[in-house]
Amino acid sequence: MSGQRLGIGFIGSGFNARFHMQGFRYVRDADVLGVWSPNAKNAASAAKYARDLDVGDAKAYKTITDMVADPRIDAIWLNGPNHARIENVEEIVDAVTSGKGTLKGIACEKPLGRTVAEAKHILKLVEKAGIMHGYLENQFFSPQVAVGHNLIWKRGAANTGRPYLARAAEEHSGPHGPWFWNGIQQGGGVLNDMMCHSALVVRQLLSEPGKPLSDLKVKRVTGHIASLKWTQKHYAAQLKRDMKVDFLKAPSEDFASVNIEFETPEGRMAIGEATTSWSFVGPGLRLSAELLGPEYSMKWNTLESGLDLFFSRAVKGKTGEDIVEKQMAEQGQMPVVVNEAIAYGYEAEDNHFVRAFLSKEKPLLTWHDGLDVVRILMHAYKSAELGKTLEYKENGVDKFVPQVGQGTWKPR
């Protein structure tokens, strides 16, 4: 695109890509112009969805190379499944380095890779090609998290000292698509799928705004994983029917917790506690966080939305997600998340990376941050497998592949 607008091409056409497209309704300097998916029908459907949202004159492309080669496309939003990450990035980079197209940037969804080796590989590829990169972590940009974080540090930490304990959680009833439940394709279970959010959020909250997250050094990691619900015979049968995965033969964890010990720049300890669950029962997706310091605290819970509806037994209708993501009921007292794309941070992160790729802002999160998250997750998996706390070593899990990611994990 010419001028000061960014033409966006999407790799991926599913749930996550469409959440981003909703976010682009509030982004001023960009247009969604392309979609590629290995399923041409899905690509066409997602392109129509973008046009219906009026976020750009999107069209479906036959190949990633065709999309990168189109001079209308300035940046790629990488939203495909985890197991396709390497081949997707390799095709993008090949299209650029061979001169078929140019890009101002690539924004990649979490996790950056299923393993440290994968994450390092694609980071090396894009940096060798000279392409700017951004790590898409929506909760980092959630308005409540961002505003609370800044206020706590401006008022509380400035007067009484830095915070020392952060907690974060993401919980729902389970993913939308079959590949998320497949440990080999996804790279793990709920720890790999959702702890990437929570592990980064606790580090963010404990870090001074404007300073690199790496200023807060990771010292030790303790991880626990379990299958609490979905390996029970009734629920395993439901998964096999609906998602075509057999958790009795190849399970993934549906609960995970991680304790991260950080060292502050002053040499003091700070603690991050994070939990994630696919076995949560409630109205729907629940994101939450807490931050505590010497004389202050903050809390965030997306289900404390400010709007509740009540439907009696007489109100009957189709199941859906018009009230909250991962909605589990249509009757009773229901909290409503009014605009999820804004509440969860998609709008703010999309706006930020558009401005970053237009050289109007410095990227707040890059693939280096995504690599750091993968390192923490792999330490957590290894800790869970060994049953002990691990000293954090930057290169200590470079070749590690979790048992869940190999399809060999046996829950207790």
Side-chain angles (χ1 to χ4, degrees):
M1 287 288 288
S2 61
Q4 289 298 303
R5 297 188 68 78
L6 200 72
I8 307 295
F10 274 84
I11 291 178
S13 57
F15 178 81
N16 181 262
R18 293 172 190 239
F19 243 125
H20 279 285
M21 289 176 184
Q22 292 175 38
F24 272 98
R25 290 180 295 177
Y26 312 98
V27 177
R28 297 177 59 185
D29 302 329
D31 301 289
V32 178
L33 299 178
V35 181
W36 176 84
S37 167
N39 185 311
K41 183 178 179 181
N42 290 348
S45 172
K48 181 179 183 301
Y49 184 72
R51 295 194 301 271
D52 290 345
L53 289 173
D54 199 24
V55 295
D57 187 21
K59 72 174 187 177
Y61 288 82
K62 290 184 179 180
T63 69
I64 293 173
T65 300
D66 289 343
M67 188 162 64
V68 174
D70 190 333
R72 302 192 316 155
I73 302 297
D74 300 308
I76 297 295
W77 256 236
L78 189 50
N79 302 98
N82 298 358
H83 56 278
R85 183 81 79 240
I86 288 179
E87 63 183 271
N88 291 163
V89 173
E90 287 179 342
E91 186 171 350
I92 293 169
V93 169
D94 181 69
V96 171
T97 56
S98 65
K100 295 183 176 70
T102 60
L103 291 174
K104 294 181 184 294
I106 306 175
C108 182
E109 259 296 340
K110 60 78 188 171
L112 191 64
R114 293 177 294 180
T115 64
V116 170
E118 287 190 357
K120 291 178 74 171
H121 175 62
I122 64 170
L123 174 59
K124 183 178 180 180
L125 286 176
V126 297
E127 293 204 322
K128 187 175 181 180
I131 306 171
M132 186 182 294
H133 46 85
Y135 179 56
L136 292 169
E137 172 44 70
N138 59 285
Q139 291 180 39
F140 181 96
F141 293 93
S142 171
Q144 289 88 343
V145 171
V147 171
H149 178 218
N150 284 321
L151 284 172
I152 281 288
W153 276 86
K154 180 180 178 181
R155 290 180 171 269
N159 284 282
T160 66
R162 67 183 303 138
Y164 42 65
L165 177 61
R167 299 186 179 104
E170 179 169 5
E171 304 159 290
H172 59 61
S173 58
H176 287 89
W179 70 267
F180 285 96
W181 298 90
N182 184 311
I184 295 175
Q185 290 187 326
Q186 199 255 104
V190 72
L191 192 152
N192 200 52
D193 180 40
M194 302 202 315
M195 189 63 75
C196 42
H197 295 297
S198 303
L200 189 141
V201 166
V202 295
R203 196 175 193 179
Q204 172 193 6
L205 292 175
L206 290 166
S207 297
E208 183 177 352
K211 296 293 181 67
L213 297 180
S214 58
D215 278 3
L216 202 66
K217 305 297 184 185
V218 183
K219 303 300 290 184
R220 282 169 288 276
V221 178
T222 308
H224 298 280
I225 63 174
S227 178
L228 302 178
K229 177 177 180 178
W230 291 104
T231 48
Q232 296 184 38
K233 288 185 178 181
H234 169 74
Y235 295 108
Q238 179 182 328
L239 263 187
K240 192 171 185 179
R241 181 185 69 243
D242 296 340
M243 296 292 175
K244 306 299 186 289
V245 293
D246 190 343
F247 258 34
L248 297 181
K249 290 185 178 179
S252 299
E253 78 279 0
D254 60 18
F255 173 85
S257 67
V258 174
N259 183 289
I260 309 169
E261 298 177 41
F262 297 102
E263 183 181 279
T264 72
E266 300 80 19
R268 297 184 62 85
M269 178 185 288
I271 299 292
E273 297 178 346
T275 60
T276 51
S277 174
W278 288 344
S279 50
F280 173 71
V281 178
L285 171 67
R286 181 172 69 181
L287 309 178
S288 60
E290 288 184 298
L291 182 63
L292 292 89
E295 298 291 341
Y296 53 84
S297 65
M298 67 166 275
K299 68 171 184 174
W300 172 55
N301 184 335
T302 55
L303 294 183
E304 296 174 0
S305 64
L307 174 64
D308 281 12
L309 304 180
F310 175 79
F311 297 110
S312 78
R313 298 185 188 94
V315 180
K316 301 183 186 299
K318 294 181 180 179
T319 60
E321 291 186 276
D322 53 340
I323 294 175
V324 64
E325 182 189 337
K326 307 294 193 303
Q327 189 172 320
M328 294 191 72
E330 280 69 41
Q331 294 175 328
Q333 195 80 16
M334 302 292 295
V336 182
V337 181
V338 175
N339 191 322
E340 291 178 295
I342 291 178
Y344 302 153
Y346 288 93
E347 175 269 337
E349 72 170 341
D350 290 332
N351 184 65
H352 168 70
F353 285 113
V354 165
R355 292 180 60 80
F357 294 159
L358 289 172
S359 300
K360 295 181 178 181
E361 296 178 9
K362 182 179 179 181
L364 292 175
L365 293 175
T366 70
W367 288 17
H368 290 281
D369 297 295
L371 173 58
D372 284 346
V373 170
V374 177
R375 283 195 179 106
I376 291 172
L377 300 187
M378 293 305 108
H379 275 84
Y381 269 122
K382 190 171 183 179
S383 167
E385 290 181 13
L386 297 176
K388 64 179 184 180
T389 297
L390 292 186
E391 297 291 325
Y392 182 84
K393 298 179 181 179
E394 185 169 302
N395 300 316
V397 288
D398 279 10
K399 298 180 180 180
F400 177 74
V401 180
Q403 292 174 353
V404 185
Q406 299 178 54
T408 62
W409 181 61
K410 302 298 182 186
R412 296 181 183 136

